[in-house]
Amino acid sequence: MNDADVSKQIQQMVNFIRQEAEEKANEISVSAEEEFNIEKLQLVESEKKKIRQEYERKQKQVDVRRKIEYSMQLNASRIKVLQAQDDVVGSMKEAASKELLNVNHHHHVYRNLLKDLIVQSLLRLKEPSVLLRCRKEDVHSVEHVLDSAAQEYAEKANVHPPEIIVDREVYLPPAPSHHNVHEPYCSGGVVLASRDGKIVCENTLDARLDVVFRKKLPEIRKLLFGQVAA
């Protein structure tokens, strides 16, 4: 093999090595570009995730605000309903109270009512000695029927007539009027208690008014919902 052949072979080997080196360099360049693209894609996904989280957070705030607004509207509606109910309740109680107060215009009717209230209270207490409280203006009427009430109780309960002490120091509040709108009042009746004060029986017209009034609740609801519907 002469020098020319050797030189040719060396040149071929150099060309092969150079080509192989270029191919390797190209592979390295492509790999680096792929890594760059992957990093870029990861950054994009990370930003998208942040944007999505921010959107969800704001959406939750909007949902909470909507719920609060709805709750406020609902409460406002409930307040209107309650106000309407209070108006109906107030007017019906006022009417019922006037009906009960009418008995005060007929002294004999009211005295008989007081006697019945005292007897009922004695039957509930079943005490040999009791303290009775009434309105100051009712003291005379109470004393007028006291003995007959005690005797009637004794006959019904088959016991001796009880000792009934009328409290002349503490009285029930006076009758309701436009002068004492915001003050305690009592439409009439009595309150009896055992001597030790442990057992108390309230038997006033106001307490009876509440009992009568509860029976009118279906009528109240009908009036109330009629107003709301309108």
Side-chain angles (χ1 to χ4, degrees):
M1 181 179 293
N2 54 30
D3 291 341
D5 292 333
V6 171
S7 296
K8 188 177 181 180
Q9 281 187 347
I10 290 172
Q11 187 61 42
Q12 289 177 344
M13 290 177 65
V14 169
N15 290 339
F16 177 78
I17 292 170
R18 183 178 294 160
Q19 183 179 354
E20 191 175 35
E22 288 177 355
E23 290 177 354
K24 290 288 186 184
N26 288 335
E27 288 179 1
I28 291 171
S29 177
V30 170
S31 177
E33 186 176 353
E34 287 178 351
E35 288 181 4
F36 173 77
N37 289 336
I38 289 171
E39 289 178 0
K40 190 174 180 181
L41 183 63
Q42 288 175 341
L43 286 173
V44 170
E45 289 297 327
S46 177
E47 286 300 317
K48 285 169 65 177
K49 185 177 181 181
K50 287 180 182 179
I51 292 171
R52 190 182 302 110
Q53 288 175 342
E54 181 67 15
Y55 171 78
E56 290 175 351
R57 186 180 66 82
K58 289 185 177 180
Q59 188 64 36
K60 286 181 180 178
Q61 289 179 347
V62 171
D63 291 341
V64 169
R65 191 176 297 112
R66 284 176 180 169
K67 288 179 180 178
I68 292 173
E69 290 174 354
Y70 175 75
S71 178
M72 290 174 67
Q73 292 173 355
L74 189 62
N75 286 337
S77 299
R78 286 174 177 167
I79 289 171
K80 288 182 180 179
V81 170
L82 289 174
Q83 286 175 342
Q85 185 180 19
D86 287 343
D87 291 342
V88 176
V89 167
S91 62
M92 294 189 72
K93 273 198 170 185
E94 185 178 355
S97 181
K98 286 180 180 177
E99 291 176 9
L100 285 173
L101 285 173
N102 285 336
V103 300
N104 285 338
H105 297 300
H106 306 282
H107 296 295
H108 66 282
V109 175
Y110 184 54
R111 283 181 177 179
N112 289 336
L113 178 59
L114 281 174
K115 177 183 174 182
D116 291 340
L117 295 176
I118 293 171
V119 172
Q120 286 179 355
S121 300
L122 292 172
L123 287 169
R124 290 178 188 172
L125 291 175
K126 296 178 180 177
E127 292 285 320
S129 180
V130 297
L131 179 69
L132 183 150
R133 283 179 180 169
C134 62
R135 300 183 305 182
K136 192 171 185 178
E137 59 264 39
D138 291 341
V139 171
H140 181 69
S141 296
V142 166
E143 290 180 337
H144 184 81
V145 300
L146 206 56
D147 290 339
S148 59
Q151 189 60 43
E152 183 176 334
Y153 160 72
E155 292 173 0
K156 288 184 176 181
N158 196 23
V159 295
H160 293 292
E163 177 191 17
I164 303 176
I165 301 171
V166 179
D167 193 341
R168 292 181 174 275
E169 295 183 4
V170 179
Y171 298 100
L172 299 183
S177 70
H178 62 278
H179 297 296
N180 63 345
V181 176
H182 302 293
E183 298 295 329
Y185 65 86
C186 177
S187 301
V190 294
V191 174
L192 271 69
S194 58
R195 291 296 296 273
D196 57 11
K198 291 183 178 179
I199 308 173
V200 178
C201 177
E202 180 183 350
N203 214 351
T204 65
L205 296 185
D206 301 294
R208 287 174 167 267
L209 173 60
D210 288 336
V211 173
V212 173
F213 188 70
R214 281 197 293 270
K215 295 179 182 178
K216 294 185 178 181
L217 284 178
E219 182 183 348
I220 292 171
R221 293 191 184 99
K222 187 185 295 184
L223 290 171
L224 176 62
F225 292 130
Q227 286 184 2
V228 173

